[in-house]
Amino acid sequence: ALAVLAAHDARALLAQADAVAALSLEGLDGNLAPLLPPAQAQRPYAGQRQTAERMLGLLRGSALWRRDAQRPLQDPLSFRTVSQVHGAARDLLALLDRQLQLQINSSDDNPTVVLDAAPAADASDYETQYYVTDGPVRGAVMPSAGFDPSAWALPLQGTAVALSQVAQLSAQRTLRLTDPGFTRLPRFLSPGNGAIGYGPIQKTVSSLAADVRALAGPVVTDVQPQAGNIEDVGTNAPLTGLRVAGQVAALTRLLAVELMHGAQAVDLRYPQGPAAALGQGTASLWRDFRKQVPYMAEDRRNDTDVITATAFLRQARGGQSAWAGADTAR
């Protein structure tokens, strides 16, 4: 149950991460080339292509489709590899979903009770001892290890590692957006008039990324023998599920901080109004977000905005807006 809920939330969060990364790309005035079909076709992993297609859809109509002589040829890897990293996480989640579907729709009891099973004609005495062949109920009762959750605990652990990589990209994109050398915008996205901008919040970015990374550490083999050394291996599957849930919470906050930066960057880049310069999906995200967190025209408490931005993402998760990715959150 913990794994099912964690996988559901991680899938919805990935859809939001696509949208936030797309808005940040517009804040950077970055390149679409790594997302284009010819580039994607060179190594067509399923999750990667799905991510690229979704981001291009969000960015349809964006000013990024226009040539810009000042735009660098290539962006930092935290912008360039979004489809690869988010796509790898999607591929792991797809495997996890398949394994969890099997798990929740089958029995993991020990012993295993199989109704209406009958021994083969050439079954050995050893095999036939497990079958009930007399009376109104027929079948088999067999000792088993079907309770071992390795088939889904390992993809769940892999998902935790994948989410830490998603967090790494988000943190680095956020920090790059505060650097004029990459954005040609004011340092720390300051609105001017002596304001510091988002300088103080950089420690928050680092701390949240470290939280997500720490929760990715493997625990699947960290089990001590129990039950008189009979139960001598295990997977810590419940702990892994709880840790992924913790990652989703921390990564939501981290993406909220990135969203604050991405929105500020496009406001500074397009002072006449970002909506006309943004993609169809990213413009929808920007408009929805700005109803909750306004443009930072002068220094104010960042923590209040982080709380509001985090609540915004949580409430929008699985919603019907053009950017929230309702189709992937089912």
Side-chain angles (χ1 to χ4, degrees):
L2 291 169
V4 168
L5 292 173
H8 173 275
D9 291 343
R11 189 163 48 255
L13 184 63
L14 269 179
Q16 292 186 325
D18 292 343
V20 172
L23 184 68
S24 291
L25 187 65
E26 291 177 309
L28 183 75
D29 189 29
N31 289 279
L32 295 170
L35 299 172
L36 297 178
Q40 290 289 316
Q42 300 308 305
R43 190 170 290 176
Y45 294 116
Q48 176 182 315
R49 295 186 71 170
Q50 180 184 353
T51 303
E53 289 169 2
R54 183 161 190 277
M55 290 186 69
L56 288 176
L58 290 164
L59 291 165
R60 187 175 296 114
S62 170
L64 296 183
W65 293 96
R66 299 195 293 267
R67 295 184 65 173
D68 184 345
Q70 291 186 303
R71 187 179 296 150
L73 177 64
Q74 295 192 114
D75 304 323
L77 291 180
S78 54
F79 290 87
R80 262 193 284 166
T81 65
V82 172
S83 67
Q84 284 77 13
V85 171
H86 291 197
R90 280 191 165 86
D91 288 338
L92 272 171
L93 277 171
L95 172 59
L96 178 59
D97 283 346
R98 290 196 299 272
Q99 304 300 70
L100 287 173
Q101 287 283 347
L102 284 172
Q103 173 70 24
I104 65 178
N105 288 290
S106 59
S107 172
D108 59 4
D109 284 342
N110 176 41
T112 294
V113 177
V114 186
L115 293 176
D116 301 322
D122 59 348
S124 66
D125 289 344
Y126 175 80
E127 293 174 274
T128 58
Q129 68 179 319
Y130 297 112
Y131 287 87
V132 178
T133 56
D134 297 320
V137 179
R138 307 294 179 89
V141 181
M142 294 185 174
S144 75
F147 50 81
D148 184 277
S150 296
W152 59 263
L154 293 175
L156 181 64
Q157 184 69 77
T159 297
V161 176
L163 290 179
S164 72
Q165 199 172 8
V166 172
Q168 180 189 37
L169 264 64
S170 176
Q172 295 303 324
R173 286 193 303 268
T174 302
L175 297 177
R176 297 297 84 72
L177 286 175
T178 66
D179 187 339
F182 291 102
T183 64
R184 306 186 306 278
L185 297 173
R187 188 168 183 251
F188 300 138
L189 301 176
S190 168
N193 300 318
I196 298 174
Y198 284 134
I201 207 172
Q202 292 197 329
K203 280 76 172 178
T204 302
V205 172
S206 178
S207 177
L208 288 169
D211 286 346
V212 179
R213 186 166 59 251
L215 290 169
V219 294
V220 294
T221 56
D222 188 15
V223 178
Q224 303 302 317
Q226 301 174 45
N229 291 329
I230 293 296
E231 298 175 1
D232 55 350
V233 297
T235 64
N236 277 323
L239 177 58
T240 305
L242 288 170
R243 287 162 72 96
V244 172
Q247 286 185 301
V248 170
L251 184 50
T252 300
R253 296 188 194 98
L254 182 58
L255 288 171
V257 176
E258 182 185 353
L259 179 54
M260 291 164 54
H261 284 69
Q264 183 78 4
V266 298
D267 280 322
L268 291 171
R269 188 171 300 283
Y270 304 108
Q272 303 307 315
L278 300 182
Q280 294 177 9
T282 49
S284 175
L285 169 58
W286 175 82
R287 282 192 296 266
D288 290 348
F289 182 65
R290 280 295 182 232
K291 294 174 184 177
Q292 303 296 323
V293 179
Y295 169 68
M296 186 174 65
E298 58 185 15
D299 283 335
R300 62 175 184 252
R301 291 185 55 155
N302 293 157
D303 57 345
T304 302
D305 285 351
V306 173
I307 292 170
T308 304
T310 302
F312 167 77
L313 288 179
R314 285 175 179 157
Q315 292 165 5
R317 196 168 292 157
Q320 299 301 314
S321 60
W323 61 270
D327 57 325
T328 61
R330 286 196 295 266

